[in-house]
Amino acid sequence: MRRLKEFTPKEKRDEIVSMYLNGENSYEELGEYYKVEPSTIRTWVCRYRKRKNIVSLQPNLTALEEMARKKKETDKPAEVLQLEARIRELELQNLALNTLIDVAERNGIEIRKKSGAKQ
């Protein structure tokens, strides 16, 4: 998990919601780390999803699958969990950038380097 730093209340809430939606940590892990009730975080995430009309990138897990996921993740060292979270973040960033390039090219803006182009 990221190092605890000083936040304004809104920044703290946004950081926690972002970490949850990126699949970095569970409500309980975030609540323990940031000293916030997990139910409060769950409320923030629900409000954010409704306000932004977004769908979670995390699959819908049953209670048993969620418990198994938590158990599996707690067996890993903290550094591995941080690296996995960073990989997920970079994969999403890559997807967003490729989508942006695809949209630009559909609108006549050529961005990708074509094979055989003069250099």
Side-chain angles (χ1 to χ4, degrees):
M1 211 177 298
R2 297 179 186 150
R3 292 206 169 148
L4 190 58
K5 59 182 181 177
E6 294 299 318
F7 290 103
T8 65
K10 183 181 180 332
E11 288 174 334
K12 181 178 180 181
R13 183 188 67 221
D14 292 346
E15 174 81 5
I16 293 170
V17 169
S18 174
M19 289 180 76
Y20 178 80
L21 290 175
N22 287 333
E24 294 179 32
N25 302 97
S26 68
Y27 293 127
E28 291 75 18
E29 292 167 333
L30 291 167
E32 183 178 319
Y33 186 77
Y34 286 100
K35 308 295 185 234
V36 176
E37 287 294 320
S39 60
T40 301
I41 298 172
R42 187 174 294 111
T43 300
W44 292 344
V45 170
C46 289
R47 286 181 186 164
Y48 180 84
R49 284 180 175 154
K50 286 179 185 174
R51 189 174 63 243
K52 298 291 183 180
N53 196 22
I54 63 168
V55 177
S56 175
L57 295 173
Q58 296 178 345
N60 292 330
L61 302 176
T62 65
L64 291 176
E65 290 171 327
E66 181 70 22
M67 288 176 8
R69 181 183 141 243
K70 285 180 192 173
K71 183 176 183 341
K72 212 174 10 175
E73 287 183 354
T74 56
D75 294 343
K76 297 177 184 177
E79 184 179 2
V80 171
L81 293 174
Q82 288 175 337
L83 291 171
E84 287 176 346
R86 182 67 178 146
I87 288 169
R88 283 191 299 270
E89 181 181 325
L90 291 172
E91 286 172 341
L92 288 172
Q93 184 180 19
N94 187 34
L95 176 63
L97 291 171
N98 282 324
T99 302
L100 182 64
I101 291 169
D102 291 341
V103 169
E105 289 190 340
R106 271 188 253 136
N107 289 308
I109 303 169
E110 293 189 23
I111 296 175
R112 287 193 175 94
K113 187 174 183 178
K114 306 298 180 201
S115 63
K118 295 180 181 178
Q119 296 197 14

